[in-house]
């Protein structure tokens, strides 16, 4: 406990670093996955390659990916951007399928009715398809957010600071409190983001609660 | 004028022929019913009117103009559409569902909502229900909202695809009666699809009976179809052949007149006794008694 009290500044700093890695990755994974999911659903023959292909990204071991990415991106190996890029790819591995299935599950009858009312296909996407796929997409996004925050700790192995640095330092120097603080803060951050996602879902989709 | 189908065909890419060489006209301000069992192409024909389906042959004209040149989205915004299970947007409040078409046609939110409230009243709903989401309404109420939405923007043409097919019989009857009342007032050009014979007879100024394979079996008024079925199929479909619609009256015990079908099953009671001109109206009771089974 003494160690933690003596190191609150460092823990806070690493928490911010951790957030700076995982939050942009979650956002980017979501923003990139939705258009890919739309493309997958529109071009039926490409659906499986796109959905399964991105899904396979998850099978790539994280450590090699962190090392290979800098070579592809041309950034330094300790650049936080690498970590963000890698986390985004892992997030997409989960999110593309989730978004594609959510959009696919929107009732054909409602879509037909909307078309008959005179929605253009673009207008229908924004005002009918996307909101109605919202609850299922949110479920996918919650998994992505939790998994990204937990995965971001790996960056510490490469020397990109995050809450994972509390694990690596703690192990090397035999400070149990450090490891524990890292675990607790990671879980707390995951829970807070999850809560925020659920709340914004309620705010943005007030109709969904009644249907549950 | 009205809606004119000219030798319309629809063959799908896989070779399935949904509709073959169909010609008929829906006169303005009247109701035409497309009647037939499932798979006879009636919904396909309906959806051609707002270009949800494009014919592969023939022409479709609205007020004399070929709609092949019309922009589909704009065309749909000018035509009311009511479907089975209402097809309401579950994430929009009832009032906004009704206002959808008005908004798409460029109305501001305020005026669109107040117009939508008037429409809810027109179809017999409390405007306060507008605050709710569709799944908080009963099936019958949802269907009324669907009709209100179809009427929004006062379109000349109203397309109705089995509009009352998913509600229980009592509510269906109520909705049909209301539709009749509305139609005498609003005089829309209505094309309605149903497989329910009663509904067709009660709502249709003109009935187009389709046979499986997408051909017209007979077109005419309810009276024409019932009194002079064109062939066996028509007679069987309408139930004339089985005697379901050959009705007889016979004197009951207390002097009232009971209506029975050809098999002697009682269907109802005649309120005003048939006049003496009627061949079966001899009040002396000389009606040949049905050997009621």
């Amino acid at each position: 406990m003494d160690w933690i009290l003596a190191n609150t500044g460092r823990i806070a700093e690493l928490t911010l670093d951790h957030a700076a890695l995982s939050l942009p990755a979650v956002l980017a994974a979501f923003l990139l996955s939705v258009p890919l999911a739309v493309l997958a659903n529109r071009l039926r023959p490409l659906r499986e390659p796109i959905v399964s292909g991105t899904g396979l990204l998850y099978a790539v071991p994280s450590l090699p990916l962190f090392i290979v990415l800098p070579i592809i991106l041309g950034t330094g190996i300790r650049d936080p951007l690498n970590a963000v890029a890698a986390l985004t790819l892992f997030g997409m591995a989960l999110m593309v399928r989730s978004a594609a299935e959510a959009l696919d599950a929107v009732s054909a009858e409602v879509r037909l009715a909307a078309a008959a009312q005179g929605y253009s296909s673009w207008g229908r996407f924004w005002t009918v398809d996307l909101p109605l796929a919202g609850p299922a997409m949110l479920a996918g996004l919650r998994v992505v957010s939790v998994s990204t925050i937990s995965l971001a700790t790996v960056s510490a192995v490469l020397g990109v600071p995050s809450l994972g640095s509390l694990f690596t330092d703690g192990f090397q120097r035999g400070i149990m409190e450090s490891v524990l603080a890292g675990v607790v803060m990671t879980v707390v951050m995951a829970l807070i983001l999850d809560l925020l996602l659920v709340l914004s879902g309620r705010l943005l989709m007030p109709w969904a609660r009644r249907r549950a | 004028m009205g809606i004119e189908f000219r030798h319309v065909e629809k063959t799908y890419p896989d070779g399935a022929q949904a509709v073959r060489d169909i010609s008929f006209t829906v006169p303005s301000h009247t109701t035409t019913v497309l009647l037939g069992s499932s798979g006879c192409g009636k919904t396909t024909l309906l959806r051609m009117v707002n270009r949800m389906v494009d014919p592969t042959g023939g022409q479709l004209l609205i007020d004399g103009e070929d709609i092949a040149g019309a922009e589909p989205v704009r065309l749909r915004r000018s035509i009311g559409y009511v479907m089975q299970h209402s097809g309401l947007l579950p994430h929009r409040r009832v009032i906004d569902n009704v206002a959808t078409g008005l908004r798409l046609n460029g109305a501001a939110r305020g005026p669109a909502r107040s117009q939508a409230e008037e429409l809810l009243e027109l179809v017999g709903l409390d405007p306060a229900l507008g605050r709710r989401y569709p799944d908080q309404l009963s099936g019958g109420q949802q269907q009324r909202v669907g009709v209100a939405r179809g009427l929004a923007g006062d379109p000349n043409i109203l397309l109705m695809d089995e509009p009352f097919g998913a509600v229980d019989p009592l509510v269906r009857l109520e909705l049909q009666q209301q539709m009749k009342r509305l139609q005498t007032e609003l005089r829309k050009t209505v094309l309605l699809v149903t497989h329910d014979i009663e509904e067709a007879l009660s709502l249709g100024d003109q009935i187009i009976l389709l046979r499986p394979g997408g051909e017209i079996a007979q077109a005419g008024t309810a009276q024409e179809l019932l009194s002079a079925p064109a062939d066996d199929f028509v007679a069987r479909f309408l139930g004339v052949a089985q005697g379901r619609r050959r009705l007889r009256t016979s004197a009951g015990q207390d002097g009232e007149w009971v209506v029975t079908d050809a098999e002697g099953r009682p269907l109802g009671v005649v309120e005003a006794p048939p006049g003496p001109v009627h061949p079966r109206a001899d009040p002396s009771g000389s009606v040949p008694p049905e050997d009621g089974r």
Side-chain angles (χ1 to χ4, degrees):
Chain A
M1 207 57 200
D2 292 343
W3 183 92
I4 291 174
L5 288 176
N7 289 278
T8 43
R10 176 161 163 76
I11 294 173
E13 197 182 315
L14 288 174
T15 306
L16 285 180
D17 288 338
H18 198 94
L21 293 181
S22 41
L23 296 187
V26 172
L27 190 69
F30 181 71
L31 293 181
L32 292 172
S33 295
V34 173
L36 263 180
V38 172
L39 200 69
N41 284 345
R42 292 253 165 121
L43 307 170
R44 282 285 146 175
L46 288 184
R47 189 172 199 270
E48 265 322 291
I50 291 177
V51 170
S52 302
T54 48
L56 277 177
L57 282 175
Y58 213 75
V60 178
S62 53
L63 218 44
L65 185 64
F66 277 108
I67 293 163
V68 168
L69 267 180
I71 301 169
I72 302 172
L73 295 174
T75 46
I77 194 159
R78 307 229 155 144
D79 193 334
L81 202 62
N82 295 324
V84 174
L87 291 172
T88 303
L89 285 178
F90 283 124
M92 286 171 69
L94 298 172
M95 197 62 220
V96 170
R97 179 176 291 278
S98 165
E101 280 170 4
L103 286 167
D104 218 20
V106 174
S107 146
E109 196 166 59
V110 170
R111 303 187 73 228
L112 184 95
Q117 299 305 308
Y119 276 101
S120 63
S121 64
W122 195 234
R124 185 176 64 172
F125 173 74
W126 288 109
T127 51
V128 180
D129 294 356
L130 201 57
L132 286 179
M137 278 199 204
L138 180 64
L141 188 61
R142 289 175 64 187
V143 175
V144 170
S145 97
V146 169
S147 103
T148 303
I149 287 172
S150 132
L151 204 57
T153 53
V154 177
S155 69
V157 180
L158 304 165
V160 178
S162 70
L163 285 171
S165 308
L166 292 173
F167 304 166
T168 49
D169 289 2
F171 277 126
Q172 277 166 9
R173 296 157 59 194
I175 308 170
M176 224 31 229
E177 288 97 328
S178 175
V179 177
L180 209 66
V183 172
V184 170
M185 287 311 289
T186 308
V187 171
V188 167
M189 190 188 287
L191 284 177
I192 288 175
L193 186 57
D194 193 51
L195 197 70
L196 286 176
L197 286 175
V198 172
L199 285 178
S200 50
R202 292 223 175 140
L203 219 63
L204 289 171
M205 303 178 282
W207 47 274
R209 220 175 343 160
R210 302 164 200 278
R211 292 163 66 79
Chain B
M1 286 297 147
I3 310 167
E4 194 184 344
F5 289 75
R6 276 192 198 160
H7 305 291
V8 165
E9 315 231 341
K10 178 69 187 178
T11 310
Y12 284 99
D14 65 356
Q17 210 169 9
V19 162
R20 54 189 83 190
D21 195 20
I22 297 261
S23 298
F24 67 93
T25 300
V26 183
S28 289
H29 311 301
T30 62
T31 301
T32 292
V33 173
L34 286 169
L35 175 65
S37 39
S38 54
C40 67
K42 53 192 195 301
T43 296
T44 305
L45 286 168
L46 183 87
R47 289 186 183 160
M48 284 178 184
V49 179
N50 66 353
R51 294 201 60 189
M52 304 274 284
V53 172
D54 281 326
T56 47
Q59 281 177 303
L60 221 150
L61 296 88
I62 293 180
D63 292 339
E65 253 179 74
D66 193 332
I67 61 163
E71 208 276 306
V73 169
R74 191 168 314 156
L75 183 71
R76 287 171 202 156
R77 288 179 187 177
S78 70
I79 294 176
Y81 195 90
V82 183
M83 58 195 281
Q84 197 177 9
H85 303 300
S86 79
L88 298 174
L89 303 178
H91 62 304
R92 293 278 179 85
R93 292 180 195 276
V94 164
I95 191 85
D96 293 323
N97 262 288
V98 178
T100 296
L102 302 166
R103 299 278 287 139
L104 286 172
N105 280 320
R109 187 187 293 260
R113 281 202 173 163
S114 56
Q115 225 178 316
E117 280 184 5
E118 286 168 26
L119 285 162
L120 286 178
E121 265 180 295
L122 183 69
V123 298
L125 287 175
D126 181 353
L129 291 178
R131 298 277 310 148
R132 301 202 186 165
Y133 287 98
D135 60 0
Q136 295 174 303
L137 303 188
S138 71
Q141 287 172 327
Q142 287 183 29
Q143 221 48 49
R144 283 177 200 266
V145 176
V147 174
R149 180 175 68 171
L151 291 170
D154 202 20
N156 291 324
I157 297 174
L158 194 58
L159 303 177
M160 309 184 90
D161 190 0
E162 309 241 4
F164 313 126
V167 292
D168 67 70
L170 210 65
V171 176
R172 188 181 314 155
L173 202 65
E174 242 175 68
L175 289 172
Q176 287 167 353
Q177 280 163 353
Q178 182 181 44
M179 188 62 217
K180 277 169 109 167
R181 276 200 306 276
L182 281 176
Q183 179 60 355
T184 52
E185 195 182 316
L186 302 173
R187 300 185 67 240
K188 301 288 177 199
T189 305
V190 179
L191 185 58
L192 183 146
V193 159
T194 186
H195 59 255
D196 180 344
I197 299 155
E198 308 288 342
E199 186 161 285
L201 296 177
S202 115
L203 295 179
D205 298 313
Q206 174 186 225
I207 298 171
I208 313 280
L209 176 56
L210 297 165
R211 70 172 91 243
E215 287 172 315
I216 293 181
Q218 191 173 358
T221 62
Q223 197 172 358
E224 283 164 355
L225 262 65
L226 284 175
S227 59
D231 58 20
D232 247 23
F233 172 79
V234 178
R236 262 185 298 122
F237 195 93
L238 296 177
V240 180
Q242 301 95 314
R244 272 200 294 134
R245 289 186 201 282
R246 289 252 177 256
L247 308 181
R248 296 175 182 186
T249 51
S250 52
Q253 289 172 340
D254 302 319
E256 81 279 17
W257 291 84
V258 179
V259 181
T260 56
D261 66 12
E263 290 180 356
R265 274 193 299 251
L267 294 175
V269 180
V270 178
E271 283 198 349
V277 286
H278 196 280
R280 291 194 188 279
D282 188 343
S284 65
S286 68
V287 178
E290 300 293 338
D291 28 5
R293 283 183 290 169

